[in-house]
Amino acid sequence: MQSESETSVRLRFAPSPTGYPHLGNIRTALFNWLFARHHGGIFILRIEDTDTARKVEGAVDIILDSLRWLGLEWDEGPYFQSQRLSVYRETAQKLLDEDHAYLCYCSPERLEAMRQEQTKRKQPPKYDQHCRNLTEQEKSQLKAAGITPVVRFKTPLEGETTFHDLIYGRVTFKHDTLDDFVLLKSDGYPTYHLANIVDDHLMAISHVLRAEEWLSSTPRHVLLYQALSWQAPRFAHLPMILGPERAKLSKRHGATNISEYQKQGYLPDAMINFLALLGWSLDDRTELLSREELIRHFSLERVGKTAAIFNREKLEWMNGVYLRRLSLGEFVHRAMPFLDRDLPDSVRRPLDESYVSQVLSLIQERAKTLAEVPQLADFFFLDELRYDTGLLLKGKLDAKSATGAITIAWQKLEKLATWDAATLEGILRSLTTELNLRTGEFFGSLRIAITGRTAAPPLFQTMAVLGKEKCLKRFKMTLQLLLPSCPN
RNA sequence: GCCCCCAUCGUCUAGAGGCCUAGGACAUCAGCCUUUCAAGCUGAAGAUCAGGGGUCCGAAUCCCCUUGGGGGCACCA
């Protein structure tokens, strides 16, 4: 599409620093970013920090870090609403001057009592417009009393507001279901409704993509644009992402903060791909899309309307796919910090990169997340394994045959000059035949001896990477543990 | 309580009146491969398209009602 407005596509992501960004917030950021990039528009970052009470220290940094981590780079900002207070106050004053707003002196206590009463009477909680109809005398009395008022919007008493949502279509609200909401708080800060529309207007935002939870406040925003004679942007409400209990995501849902996923070793590209598919799809079969493909194909027409529960298992699968697609060098580069972080302290640092690279070539296709890598690979790094003797004895071979077989293996391998996977395999396979064992049982015992576990990368490659010295040492250790269990 | 939105396999989704005896993906199960694990490949199971009325020659697709779910109703965003 090549409309003339193509050049003025301006999107924004406007989080409030009242907590750490979760999947839902980031999905919103992603869709805004994708839409902007698709149309060659501008992506703006705006911090809506107008709630001084709920402000969380450090939240802004985490928001910025998360966006950077995911590669959702912004073209303008971050703008901070707390630094633009005069703009909102001026707008509030304008609304006041033009009789679209009024001062309200009601105390929080009165409002609370009123709301309780309404709820008790099973009526919708709504401001009763007490201060909307104050006489001049009452006004000057209240003013003289030194009460700091708030500014409320004069919502039209009758009629309705209809707007066209790019995703949900035509939506209508009757004015009498709305109330005279606050625009400017008594601390001088604007509410979301005021600050949001002022900034969207001033920053020439063309499309507002935000979560569906905002759908029902959109008529207020439309009314505000009208009162100010401003052109409203296009609205597109995105379906919600729900927690496992089908409720709005919140802190209580554990690993919902995006930074958690970084810590757990998910790749940005996998996160992006996965999140894009939560509410959007290309067609009936494509699951894996690169950033470029996402940008090229993204469109609001293909955004659905139904809330989605995010499926962690699918994310894990997808992350595994992205992990396997990495070059070995890149995989090593990505996994190194996790090895550093999670390998036991007894493992000497710095880790040897070429050794790590050999190890990880065996680990790469087995990891779903980078955080799993140290777990999967620790036996390559530990000097001495802590064997589970139960495991050794529970092998498919009994203690006696295992001891015998490992002893002979040890003797053969000890003389070996060439230590590579092919040679080891040749020797140990023929030994299997000689001893009249089955590969499954013999290699199984060897695997436990070498790795301390039953599930591990291919035995011979593992032994090759580990090196002769360590392997022989581990065989010996195993024999020592096995010996006491051997009946003579 | 009032208002708004939504409704296809357990989950993410395709489906914009006939191509649907509803397709794909994750997860599950089975088989193959194989020294284990993983990956890969093949296959299976899984949705009376929430229910009920219409409209139409024909409905998952359009309309209405019911039910269910979600969201909103702060001097929070």
Side-chain angles (χ1 to χ4, degrees), chain A residues 165-182:
Chain A
D165 187 272
L166 261 15
I167 290 166
Y168 286 96
R170 175 177 285 266
V171 183
T172 301
F173 285 83
K174 290 194 171 61
H175 293 336
D176 60 17
T177 65
L178 273 24
D179 72 351
D180 291 351
F181 54 98
V182 172

Side-chain angles (χ1 to χ4, degrees), chain A residues 66-291:
Chain A
S66 298
L67 292 176
R68 287 194 194 104
W69 175 60
L70 290 167
L72 302 181
E73 73 282 357
W74 55 94
D75 308 304
E76 282 181 32
Y79 297 109
F80 290 84
Q81 292 188 324
S82 60
Q83 291 169 10
R84 302 163 52 78
L85 298 182
S86 58
V87 188
Y88 314 120
R89 288 176 194 162
E90 282 161 23
T91 309
Q93 189 55 51
K94 186 178 175 209
L95 256 4
L96 241 19
D97 293 344
E98 292 171 6
D99 200 31
H100 283 121
Y102 60 93
L103 298 177
C104 169
Y105 297 88
C106 293
S107 69
E109 294 74 29
R110 191 186 103 77
L111 295 174
E112 181 53 32
M114 177 194 74
R115 234 174 270 126
Q116 274 186 18
E117 177 62 21
Q118 287 165 334
T119 309
K120 209 170 84 187
R121 287 160 54 192
K122 299 202 185 284
Q123 288 176 340
K126 249 173 78 171
Y127 178 60
D128 62 2
Q129 306 183 337
H130 177 79
C131 293
R132 184 167 174 154
N133 309 306
L134 257 25
T135 62
E136 287 308 318
Q137 193 188 2
E138 287 170 323
K139 282 183 197 168
S140 46
Q141 268 174 8
L142 286 160
K143 196 175 176 182
I147 301 168
T148 315
V150 301
V151 177
R152 283 186 187 272
F153 183 66
K154 270 193 179 176
T155 301
L157 272 6
E158 293 171 350
E160 57 185 35
T161 286
T162 295
F163 57 92
H164 182 82
D165 187 272
L166 261 15
I167 290 166
Y168 286 96
R170 175 177 285 266
V171 183
T172 301
F173 285 83
K174 290 194 171 61
H175 293 336
D176 60 17
T177 65
L178 273 24
D179 72 351
D180 291 351
F181 54 98
V182 172
L183 297 170
L184 204 61
K185 303 181 254 184
S186 56
D187 63 1
Y189 279 72
T191 58
Y192 170 86
H193 304 299
L194 210 221
N196 192 265
I197 66 112
V198 168
D199 280 346
D200 282 348
H201 175 253
L202 258 25
M203 295 176 190
I205 300 303
S206 60
H207 301 258
V208 171
L209 270 56
R210 59 179 15 165
E212 196 242 39
E213 57 185 316
W214 294 107
L215 194 60
S216 41
S217 37
T218 304
R220 297 175 228 274
H221 303 158
V222 171
L223 251 15
L224 271 174
Y225 283 112
Q226 283 169 1
L228 290 160
S229 303
W230 290 345
Q231 163 96 53
R234 311 273 273 154
F235 292 102
H237 288 90
L238 274 14
M240 307 265 300
I241 295 178
L242 270 21
E245 302 97 56
R246 297 195 162 274
K248 205 172 149 178
L249 279 180
S250 68
K251 342 273 170 267
R252 72 180 63 187
H253 287 116
T256 177
N257 292 346
I258 201 74
S259 46
E260 275 302 309
Y261 291 89
Q262 184 178 7
K263 280 193 206 115
Q264 289 172 19
Y266 288 88
L267 295 175
D269 283 351
M271 285 309 295
I272 294 286
N273 191 158
F274 177 76
L275 253 18
L277 258 18
L278 236 41
W280 176 86
S281 64
L282 174 61
D283 53 31
D284 62 342
R285 54 193 67 254
T286 312
E287 303 282 342
L288 269 9
L289 293 111
S290 69
R291 223 166 264 261

Side-chain angles (χ1 to χ4, degrees), chain A residues 321-480:
Chain A
V321 171
Y322 276 85
L323 244 21
R324 274 174 252 127
R325 283 178 168 188
L326 255 29
S327 69
L328 179 59
E330 183 64 16
F331 182 64
V332 170
H333 175 69
R334 299 268 185 178
M336 197 60 110
F338 287 83
L339 287 167
D340 246 334
R341 186 187 76 184
D342 293 343
L343 243 22
D345 294 338
S346 60
V347 177
R348 258 185 70 210
R349 314 292 155 89
L351 269 13
D352 179 72
E353 181 143 353
S354 92
Y355 182 67
V356 168
S357 174
Q358 291 179 63
V359 169
L360 293 194
S361 71
L362 300 178
I363 297 300
Q364 186 167 10
E365 72 173 25
R366 294 177 169 74
K368 285 197 171 76
T369 64
L370 291 169
E372 286 177 0
V373 171
Q375 313 278 353
L376 291 169
D378 62 357
F379 60 85
F380 279 104
F381 297 93
L382 294 167
D383 211 33
E384 288 193 357
L385 296 186
R386 296 201 343 264
Y387 289 99
D388 172 352
T389 34
L391 198 60
L392 280 169
L393 296 174
K394 256 186 290 169
K396 288 181 183 156
L397 289 180
D398 59 69
K400 191 172 179 185
S401 356
T403 309
I406 294 174
T407 307
I408 299 176
W410 186 86
Q411 287 165 352
K412 288 220 171 197
L413 296 178
E414 206 244 336
K415 292 180 228 148
L416 210 56
T418 323
W419 194 269
D420 60 50
T423 310
L424 290 166
E425 177 159 11
I427 290 179
L428 293 169
R429 269 194 198 284
S430 52
L431 188 55
T432 313
T433 322
E434 273 173 48
L435 297 174
N436 200 19
L437 294 171
R438 283 200 235 153
T439 51
E441 39 193 37
F442 184 37
F443 294 171
S445 294
L446 294 179
R447 176 173 302 104
I448 293 170
I450 292 296
T451 68
R453 47 179 90 177
T454 53
L459 182 60
F460 310 114
Q461 296 178 52
T462 299
M463 289 175 70
V465 170
L466 219 33
K468 184 174 176 179
E469 194 191 332
K470 269 192 180 165
C471 288
L472 293 179
K473 196 173 154 194
R474 288 182 186 186
F475 282 145
K476 270 209 160 144
M477 277 290 295
T478 313
L479 290 171
Q480 279 174 27

